[in-house]
């Protein structure tokens, strides 16, 4: 048994450090992933990885409603660009890109010889159609990130030319995630609805069968542009397992890679499993609908931010794993603002005074919605709010309805959730605070933040001014919006017969994986 901690590099790169570890044999020459061995439920033969992690809300990147879906979607799809461990945009499907002098046209040049998993050419025309669909299809959840695109067209077989309505230097970063994942036009032009269960991409694996809410079976994609780096022949993907059974599942060989919480670390170590803690961009957060009572009162929102003892949350809920945080970015990230390091430090007396000054002489009634996945955290926060005069009744809803009710119907006032980060920091702000942001339940924004983000977008990411502009946007957002950030949540994995995973706070990659 070994236990390792993989730290997030404290790099002050102007572009951040959202990591993406790739195989040493690839052109990017970055780190290789850990390997996988076969499990009893993981299909026949060797070289099978059984991964108890999560199933996506959909296999269509355009309508995916959870940020964490990107982990699963990356198995079947390739993005146009990728991110290195410092958060810089680096080549992936596109081997290079360039802006014009005005900053309003960017051309991405693809690698030659690319193919989708079905063997059809992945050329500039296909990429242009995929981008166009993402920005124009009804119901697209990535369209808000591409509002500044005026037109997209192929120029020859390899060049994708994007004309913008305004200067925007974020696109090479933006296209490293779901927004840049290329979907085969042959699939969405034939039956767009089928993509929900039948992904059509060019990633390292291809889905062979999918049972919703149960599991997905994938096989190695020989048309993946770095297929010689993939030694896993099959991958079985399962939802995150029940805390009561996940350790036993890995110990027995049912799975060989699984995600656990801090509460399960001791049991996993006692079972002789390898435990690895990987720092991530994931931050737990209270999402607040400021258009609903009582959170339409700014004093209630501010009191709530001071009422929560985040250190207690870390101790009781996270079993000491994770770090208190008051903003959407971790320390060291280009958008992290040092001035906000303890901006809402636990102060129950101040919380009580804020409520009293606002005329609240009796307990403020509220409804606290929970999907049941983080019940200990919800219950502890409920108790802390009650201590300062906010009487929150817990309403538990099915996890499968959480996104629909909270973020699409905007029908819940307060919920406990997490934010998985985004490849582009401007995109992160749009998702959290934008007028169309998925994780902005009230869909209310602020002109000061919008103006600041325009400055960020119009500044090249390698400019000396970029970091300061982005950190000022963080200050505006954290002190203006009701979102209440709580704690950085590292990824904790247990492994059996799987080598150590890379130090990547972003995607799990499988290039270079070998069977131990």
């Amino acid at each position: 048994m070994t236990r390792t901690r993989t730290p997030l590099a404290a790099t002050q790169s102007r572009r951040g450090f959202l990591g993406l570890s790739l195989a040493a044999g690839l052109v990017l020459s970055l780190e290789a992933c850990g390997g996988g061995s076969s499990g009893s439920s993981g299909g026949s033969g060797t070289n099978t990885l059984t991964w108890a992690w999560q199933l996506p809300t959909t296999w269509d990147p355009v309508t995916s409603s959870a940020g964490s879906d990107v982990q699963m979607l990356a198995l079947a799809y390739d993005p146009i660009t990728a991110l290195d461990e410092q958060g810089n945009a680096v080549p992936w499907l596109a081997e290079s890109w360039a802006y014009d002098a005005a900053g309003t046209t960017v051309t991405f040049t693809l690698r030659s010889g690319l193919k989708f998993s079905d063997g059809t050419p992945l050329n500039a025309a296909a990429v242009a159609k995929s981008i166009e669909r993402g920005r124009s299809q009804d119901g697209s959840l990535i369209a808000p990130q591409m509002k500044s695109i005026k037109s997209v067209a192929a120029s020859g077989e390899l060049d994708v030319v994007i004309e913008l309505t305004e200067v925007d230097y974020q696109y090479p970063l933006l296209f490293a995630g779901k927004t840049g994942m290329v979907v085969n036009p042959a699939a969405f032009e034939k039956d767009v609805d089928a993509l929900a269960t039948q992904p059509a991409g060019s990633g390292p694996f291809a889905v062979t069968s999918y049972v919703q809410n149960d599991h997905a079976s994938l096989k190695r994609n020989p048309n993946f542009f770095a297929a010689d780096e993939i030694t896993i022949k099959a991958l079985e993907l399962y939802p995150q397992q029940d805390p009561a059974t996940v350790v036993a599942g890995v110990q027995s060989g049912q799975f060989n890679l699984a995600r656990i919480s801090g509460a399960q670390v001791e049991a996993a170590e006692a079972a002789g499993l390898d435990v690895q803690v990987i720092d991530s961009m994931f931050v737990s957060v209270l999402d607040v609908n400021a258009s609903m009572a009582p959170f339409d009162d700014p004093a209630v929102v501010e009191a709530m931010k001071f009422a929560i003892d985040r250190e207690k949350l870390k101790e009781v809920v996270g079993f000491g794993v994770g770090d208190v945080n008051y903003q959407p970015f971790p320390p060291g990230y280009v958008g992290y603002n040092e001035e906000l390091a303890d901006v809402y430090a636990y102060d129950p007396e101040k919380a009580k005074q804020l409520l009293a000054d606002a005329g609240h002489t009796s307990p403020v009634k509220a409804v606290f919605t929970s999907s049941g996945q983080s019940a200990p955290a919800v219950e502890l926060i409920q108790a802390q709010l009650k201590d300062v005069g906010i009487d929150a009744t817990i309403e538990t809803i099915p996890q499968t309805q959480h996104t629909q009710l909270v973020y699409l119907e905007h029908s819940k006032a307060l919920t406990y959730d997490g934010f998985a980060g985004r490849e582009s920091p401007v995109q992160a702000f749009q998702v959290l605070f934008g007028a169309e942001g998925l994780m902005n339940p009230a869909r209310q924004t602020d002109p000061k933040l919008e103006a600041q983000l325009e400055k960020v977008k119009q500044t090249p990411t390698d400019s000396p001014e970029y970091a300061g502009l982005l950190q000022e946007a963080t200050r505006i957002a954290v002190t203006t919006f009701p979102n209440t950030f709580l704690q950085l949540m590292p990824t904790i994995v247990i492994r059996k017969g799987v080598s150590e995973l890379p130090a990547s706070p972003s995607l799990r990659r499988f290039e270079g994986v070998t069977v131990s």
Side-chain angles (χ1 to χ4, degrees):
M1 177 277 295
T2 60
R3 180 178 180 182
T4 59
R5 183 175 181 88
T6 307
L8 192 68
T11 302
Q12 290 292 344
S13 163
R14 293 190 180 95
R15 297 182 181 181
F17 55 74
L18 231 169
L20 177 62
S21 293
L22 308 171
L26 293 177
V27 292
L28 302 180
S29 299
L30 298 175
E31 288 189 63
C33 283
S37 60
S38 63
S40 60
S41 66
S44 61
T46 59
N47 294 328
T48 297
L49 184 69
T50 52
W51 191 16
W53 194 268
Q54 182 179 332
L55 292 173
T57 59
T58 174
W59 284 100
D60 184 355
V62 167
T63 56
S64 162
S65 60
S68 55
D69 280 354
V70 71
Q71 298 284 358
M72 286 64 66
L73 294 173
L75 298 172
Y77 294 99
D78 280 320
I80 296 171
T81 60
L83 296 177
D84 66 14
E85 292 182 353
Q86 287 71 46
N88 303 310
V90 295
W92 197 250
L93 290 180
E95 63 180 9
S96 64
W97 53 88
Y99 277 86
D100 66 355
T104 56
T105 300
V106 56
T107 300
F108 291 88
T109 300
L110 303 177
R111 302 177 188 275
S112 60
L114 295 173
K115 295 180 180 180
F116 288 105
S117 60
D118 66 357
T120 58
L122 195 165
N123 53 24
V127 173
K129 287 182 178 180
S130 182
I131 295 173
E132 180 61 33
R133 172 191 170 238
R135 80 182 191 93
S136 62
Q137 178 176 296
D138 289 344
S140 171
L141 296 178
I142 62 174
Q145 282 76 59
M146 296 187 283
K147 292 173 66 175
S148 60
I149 292 181
K150 179 180 180 181
S151 66
V152 55
S155 178
E157 284 292 303
L158 301 180
D159 286 345
V160 182
V161 182
I162 299 176
E163 292 189 25
L164 307 173
T165 59
E166 59 187 19
V167 178
D168 190 343
Y169 287 100
Q170 292 284 303
Y171 277 93
L173 297 172
L174 185 67
F175 282 162
K178 281 193 296 185
T179 306
M181 286 183 172
V182 179
V183 182
N184 191 341
F188 64 74
E189 290 175 348
K190 178 182 179 181
D191 184 1
V192 68
D193 293 332
L195 287 171
T197 57
Q198 302 169 38
S202 61
F205 299 96
V207 173
T208 57
S209 66
Y210 174 57
V211 180
Q212 192 170 11
N213 300 322
D214 186 80
H215 81 282
S217 297
L218 302 91
K219 67 177 181 180
R220 176 181 176 273
N221 172 22
N223 292 315
F224 176 50
F225 79 89
D228 58 344
E229 297 290 337
I230 301 295
T231 64
I232 296 175
K233 293 181 180 179
L235 191 152
E236 295 287 320
L237 181 64
Y238 293 86
Q240 184 169 0
Q241 297 301 292
D242 187 285
T245 62
V246 62
V247 172
V250 177
Q251 187 181 30
S252 69
Q254 181 183 10
F255 311 107
N256 50 30
L257 179 64
R259 180 173 51 177
I260 63 171
S261 69
Q264 299 158 285
V265 169
E266 184 176 346
E269 291 178 334
L273 302 177
D274 294 331
V275 178
Q276 184 178 356
V277 181
I278 307 172
D279 287 338
S280 76
M281 291 289 290
F282 192 92
V283 59
S284 60
V285 60
L286 292 179
D287 284 326
V288 183
N289 190 332
S291 68
M292 297 180 68
F295 304 105
D296 52 354
D297 183 343
V300 175
V301 173
E302 189 174 9
M304 178 176 63
K305 292 183 177 183
F306 284 106
I308 298 171
D309 186 346
R310 293 163 176 81
E311 289 289 350
K312 190 69 172 179
L313 275 175
K314 173 182 174 180
E315 174 188 343
V316 173
V317 180
F319 283 71
V321 180
D323 297 306
V324 168
N325 205 41
Y326 301 91
Q327 50 190 299
F329 307 122
Y333 179 69
V334 65
Y336 182 85
N337 190 320
E338 292 283 354
E339 296 178 1
L340 304 174
D342 59 356
V343 62
Y344 293 114
Y346 180 53
D347 192 339
E349 295 307 315
K350 183 171 184 176
K352 293 175 184 177
Q353 191 62 51
L354 285 166
L355 293 175
D357 291 346
H360 296 288
T361 57
S362 57
V364 176
K365 300 294 184 180
V367 176
F368 191 1
T369 299
S370 168
S371 65
Q373 290 300 299
S374 302
V378 171
E379 291 169 1
L380 180 55
I381 292 170
Q382 177 195 37
Q384 293 175 351
L385 293 179
K386 186 174 183 178
D387 286 344
V388 303
I390 301 175
D391 189 2
T393 300
I394 296 175
E395 172 199 38
T396 302
I397 60 174
Q399 186 182 15
T400 54
Q401 297 179 19
H402 188 260
T403 296
Q404 180 67 31
L405 295 175
V406 175
Y407 301 118
L408 300 181
E409 296 182 11
H410 328 298
S411 62
K412 304 300 177 182
L414 177 67
T415 187
Y416 179 92
D417 205 349
F419 178 61
R422 294 296 186 272
E423 288 70 23
S424 159
V426 171
Q427 180 192 16
F429 279 112
Q430 291 171 334
V431 170
L432 289 168
F433 312 112
E436 299 178 56
L438 179 63
M439 295 189 71
N440 181 2
R443 296 298 196 268
Q444 297 174 354
T445 189
D446 184 271
K448 296 192 296 296
L449 179 61
E450 293 295 311
Q452 189 66 22
L453 290 180
E454 284 303 311
K455 295 178 183 178
V456 174
K457 288 195 300 183
Q458 294 172 17
T459 303
T461 56
D462 57 357
S463 165
E465 292 80 27
Y466 181 73
L469 292 172
L470 186 57
Q471 289 165 20
E472 174 60 13
T474 302
R475 186 198 65 78
I476 295 171
V478 169
T479 58
T480 302
F481 286 79
N483 309 59
T484 303
F485 298 96
L486 304 171
Q487 184 179 353
L488 293 169
M489 305 294 288
T491 298
I492 311 174
V493 298
I494 51 176
R495 302 177 276 109
K496 184 176 182 180
V498 178
S499 61
E500 187 170 315
L501 300 184
S504 169
S506 182
L507 299 179
R508 304 276 78 81
R509 299 295 310 187
F510 294 95
E511 293 80 18
V513 172
T514 57
V515 176
S516 58

